Amino acid sequence: EAVKDLAQQTGMVVPEEDISPQDRAIAAAQKQKQASLSDMLEKAASAYQQHLKNAPTAVTYLKGRGLSGQIAKRFGLGYAPEGWRSLASIFPEYDDPLLAESGLVIVNEEDGKRYDRFRDRVMFPIRNIKGECIGFGGRVMGDGTPKYLNSPESDIYHKSKVLYGIYYAKQTIAKEDNCYLVEGYTDVIQLYQKGVKNVVSSSGTALTPDQIRLINRLTKNITVLFDGDPAGIRAALRGIDLILEQGMNVKICTFPEGEDPDSFARSHTLEEIKEYLKNVSKRRKNSIPNKRRFI
């Protein structure tokens, strides 16, 4: 895969003599479809960013979460308007089947009517390690449900193989030889804004071997940061055995009760955050049953 990516960038062709012409044609068509889906999602991401500029409620919400305009721009945060078919102004061919496959549009099974999946939500573009937009997470600003609405699985978006923030964090992860693993989008963004840039999130899903292997390409060391409540502790512990099974080194770090990485980052300086992560991770490493090995 890496060789093919490099070849594409340099205009070279990777020989594939062992593939039949028919299989080659199928692979080419699949690749073209994936590129079209990513282009479509990228176009939607740009539109959501533009809508954010004219959505004072969404801007106020983000500011209330302690996020600056600069960090919102860095992560491409946006806003999906309330309208049922707002994307029709961006995609004139609103009935394009790829719009439904991308997850941007939902098709009613009973009457075939189409409408936008994301409406009146703050939008978090999800990018793969190469920086391509492959999906979205949409956060409701009030009391609506679900609190977070994510893109469905598609030809380019597989939740079990994606880590939110990996594109922005990869260089620092390799440089620092450590990856901080958190739960949510704002945990990543808040820590990044404060200067802790080697941080990624499993986006609210249970940690998977594929996600761990993605980190393993950059470092052997993972520090799991989780909330101070029982639910946060249970969520973190579920993934620790998986991390160890992949031959990785793991540290754990809890936060005071009622705190999470997002709130802690907002109320502390970079120096305080780094000191806390260093000391608490070190102090907690032997506090788990002996059958688990922590380094």
Side-chain angles (χ1 to χ4, degrees):
E1 183 180 340
V3 170
K4 290 179 180 178
D5 286 341
L6 289 172
Q8 185 178 23
Q9 293 175 29
T10 57
M12 299 176 67
V13 178
V14 179
E16 298 177 339
E17 291 84 357
D18 58 330
I19 299 179
S20 68
Q22 182 179 5
D23 288 341
R24 188 178 292 113
I26 293 174
Q30 180 70 7
K31 188 173 183 179
Q32 179 58 49
K33 179 182 178 182
Q34 291 173 343
S36 297
L37 286 171
S38 185
D39 288 345
M40 193 169 276
L41 290 164
E42 199 68 65
K43 191 173 182 179
S46 296
Y48 291 143
Q49 279 187 279
Q50 290 300 315
H51 287 310
L52 180 61
K53 297 177 181 179
N54 301 308
T57 302
V59 171
T60 299
Y61 170 80
L62 291 174
K63 287 183 177 179
R65 296 297 300 264
L67 300 178
S68 68
Q70 184 178 3
I71 199 69
K73 183 177 180 180
R74 173 64 172 157
F75 280 82
L77 304 188
Y79 171 72
E82 293 183 80
W84 287 85
R85 293 169 61 95
S86 298
L87 287 176
S89 62
I90 309 301
F91 300 100
E93 296 180 3
Y94 193 73
D95 58 352
D96 186 340
L98 282 182
L99 270 177
E101 287 193 48
S102 72
L104 292 170
V105 167
I106 294 176
V107 181
N108 188 303
E109 294 183 0
E110 296 182 1
D111 56 18
K113 290 185 178 180
R114 295 167 174 262
Y115 56 92
D116 294 357
R117 177 179 301 274
F118 301 103
R119 303 181 305 279
D120 194 25
R121 289 177 179 268
V122 171
M123 300 298 289
F124 298 82
I126 300 170
R127 299 185 179 278
N128 61 21
I129 198 166
K130 295 187 288 185
E132 299 164 336
C133 187
I134 56 176
F136 291 96
R139 197 341 177 147
V140 70
M141 291 174 288
D143 299 324
T145 56
K147 183 166 71 171
Y148 279 98
L149 180 64
N150 293 320
S151 292
E153 297 271 319
S154 71
D155 276 4
I156 60 174
Y157 179 52
H158 305 283
K159 296 178 184 178
S160 64
K161 299 181 179 181
V162 174
L163 288 164
Y164 180 74
I166 189 69
Y167 173 65
Y168 305 100
K170 60 184 180 181
Q171 290 185 345
T172 311
I173 291 173
K175 181 180 178 181
E176 299 289 337
D177 195 21
N178 181 50
C179 177
Y180 291 111
L181 181 64
V182 296
E183 287 190 67
Y185 302 126
T186 54
D187 293 327
V188 170
I189 298 173
Q190 198 68 251
L191 283 168
Y192 192 100
Q193 179 174 244
K194 275 298 174 74
V196 181
K197 298 185 177 181
N198 50 328
V199 55
V200 299
S201 165
S202 57
S203 303
T205 62
L207 192 64
T208 68
D210 283 327
Q211 291 172 328
I212 297 168
R213 283 192 285 269
L214 191 59
I215 297 173
N216 199 10
R217 292 164 57 180
L218 302 167
T219 181
K220 287 283 186 182
N221 305 303
I222 296 179
T223 302
V224 182
L225 312 182
F226 49 89
D227 303 357
D229 59 16
I233 294 173
R234 287 195 299 270
L237 291 179
R238 282 195 295 268
I240 288 176
D241 282 335
L242 282 177
I243 296 172
L244 294 174
E245 286 171 8
Q246 296 296 320
M248 306 278 283
N249 305 319
V250 60
K251 292 181 181 180
I252 60 172
C253 175
T254 58
F255 290 91
E257 188 173 353
E259 292 265 32
D260 57 24
D262 179 356
S263 63
F264 191 85
R266 270 189 279 172
S267 58
H268 292 79
T269 65
L270 175 59
E271 291 71 22
E272 290 170 338
I273 295 169
K274 286 185 174 181
E275 188 68 17
Y276 186 86
L277 294 178
K278 177 183 177 181
N279 292 336
V280 176
S281 296
K282 194 172 184 179
R283 194 162 60 240
R284 298 283 299 185
K285 67 179 180 180
N286 294 319
S287 62
I288 302 298
N290 291 332
K291 66 179 181 178
R292 292 189 174 96
R293 174 178 60 86
F294 289 86
I295 300 174

